[in-house]
Amino acid sequence: MEFQRRGVMLVLASPSGAGKSSISRALFEDDPNIALSVSVTTRPRRTDEIDGKHYHFIDVETFRRMRADGELLESAEVHGNFYGTPRSRVEERLAAGRDILFDIDFQGTLQLYEKCRSDMVSIFILPPSIKELRKRLERRAQDSEGTIDTRLRNARLEMDHYDEYDYVLVNEDLEDSASRVRTILAAARLARSRFLQLDKFVKDLQDQIDSH
Ligand code: 5GP
């Protein structure tokens, strides 16, 4: 039996270098029903980023206008730049039963909890060790934002928030972690709150008993 359902808002968070982007990529590759929520940001574009794909790059004035006009579902300042989630695309996808992945920080996650808790499932990804985290940060060619040590200090702060998430994953192996995220997503898709015509279905079953 297939019911129509609302989409899932899947929030993935982690300190930078814990493997969140690789896990997201693995998800997108084999699941056409989930897409990234493309945020707006006032941060300058990095050379390997595409406007409209990784972010919508906007100036501070445009950001302020969008926020004031209620066009952002959540927003936050992270490392001195503004970020926000455009509201309209999220609402359209959820209503159409399509899932959406959010790569946002803990401040944004808390705002989404206040507005859309029943649509959401959230996962915090941890590195298996600091040795591994440091290795991953060093491997990133274009880490111009501060030194590895600054990034590690930020990672330490971000880790304070692990207990605000529904699930925590220690990312030892990319394929294994991606598979766990797929499992969490599969369960979230089946949550009762997501099915749109369940009331009517149950009522019909009861009516059939009553009319016997
Ligand atoms: P980066 O500039 O390295 O792409 O992202 C820096 C941080 O900002 C990451 O922790 C990322 O999850 C977070 N971030 C990206 N987009 C958004 C957004 O729309 N809202 C919030 N709250 N955080 C975001």
Side-chain angles (χ1 to χ4, degrees), residues 96-112:
R98 316 206 67 182
D99 308 316
I100 186 153
L101 186 143
F102 296 82
D103 173 349
I104 62 175
D105 81 331
F106 67 92
Q107 306 173 76
T109 308
L110 292 180
Q111 291 168 48
L112 292 189

Side-chain angles (χ1 to χ4, degrees), residues 1 9 21-22 28 51 57 64 66 72 90 97 115-116 125 128 155 164 169 175 182 187 196 208 211:
M1 186 79 192
M9 294 169 72
S21 326
S22 316
F28 298 141
D51 191 18
F57 295 94
R64 292 217 164 99
M66 289 180 82
L72 301 178
V90 174
K115 291 183 186 156
C116 355
I125 299 160
E164 290 156 16
L169 277 185
E175 245 332 293
R182 284 186 201 105
L196 300 176
Q208 287 175 46
S211 64

Side-chain angles (χ1 to χ4, degrees), residues 178-193:
S179 140
R180 285 170 199 233
V181 173
R182 284 186 201 105
T183 304
I184 293 167
L185 178 60
R189 284 171 171 164
L190 294 173
R192 173 175 54 78
S193 60

Side-chain angles (χ1 to χ4, degrees), residues 20-212:
K20 180 175 54 180
S21 326
S22 316
I23 294 174
S24 314
R25 264 199 304 277
L27 271 189
F28 298 141
E29 264 165 28
D30 61 12
D31 191 337
N33 202 56
I34 188 157
L36 180 71
S37 163
V38 181
S39 298
V40 295
T41 182
T42 61
R43 157 169 89 55
R45 187 175 68 81
R46 296 179 187 140
T47 48
D48 64 343
E49 287 177 327
I50 299 167
D51 191 18
K53 180 174 180 209
H54 298 96
Y55 283 105
H56 300 288
F57 295 94
I58 59 174
D59 56 27
V60 175
E61 194 188 322
T62 308
F63 176 86
R64 292 217 164 99
R65 206 244 337 122
M66 289 180 82
R67 193 174 53 183
D69 290 351
E71 289 175 29
L72 301 178
L73 197 51
E74 62 75 36
S75 62
E77 187 175 345
V78 186
H79 310 321
N81 296 301
F82 294 112
Y83 296 83
T85 300
R87 176 193 294 278
S88 55
R89 176 147 180 273
V90 174
E91 287 177 352
E92 280 162 27
R93 279 192 74 87
L94 293 183
R98 316 206 67 182
D99 308 316
I100 186 153
L101 186 143
F102 296 82
D103 173 349
I104 62 175
D105 81 331
F106 67 92
Q107 306 173 76
T109 308
L110 292 180
Q111 291 168 48
L112 292 189
Y113 282 155
E114 280 169 22
K115 291 183 186 156
C116 355
R117 189 63 181 104
S118 63
D119 286 323
M120 289 169 67
V121 59
S122 62
I123 309 177
F124 195 85
I125 299 160
L126 288 169
S129 67
I130 295 309
K131 192 167 161 231
E132 184 61 29
L133 182 67
R134 186 180 271 279
K135 243 199 314 200
R136 289 183 194 164
L137 287 176
E138 280 165 1
R139 239 185 276 136
R140 282 198 189 172
Q142 65 158 314
D143 239 273
S144 54
E145 276 170 43
T147 60
I148 303 283
D149 283 338
T150 312
R151 289 235 153 190
L152 280 173
R153 270 199 303 278
N154 284 333
R156 192 193 177 290
L157 291 175
E158 284 159 29
M159 281 179 206
D160 276 342
H161 298 277
Y162 79 93
D163 60 354
E164 290 156 16
Y165 290 77
D166 299 324
Y167 296 89
V168 172
L169 277 185
V170 178
N171 181 26
E172 274 180 293
D173 173 79
L174 171 61
E175 245 332 293
D176 180 58
S177 299
S179 140
R180 285 170 199 233
V181 173
R182 284 186 201 105
T183 304
I184 293 167
L185 178 60
R189 284 171 171 164
L190 294 173
R192 173 175 54 78
S193 60
R194 225 151 252 124
F195 292 112
L196 300 176
Q197 306 123 330
L198 202 52
D199 277 0
K200 182 177 175 308
F201 182 72
V202 173
K203 179 82 177 50
D204 282 352
L205 290 176
Q206 290 173 325
D207 285 350
Q208 287 175 46
I209 294 175
D210 292 346
S211 64
H212 241 63

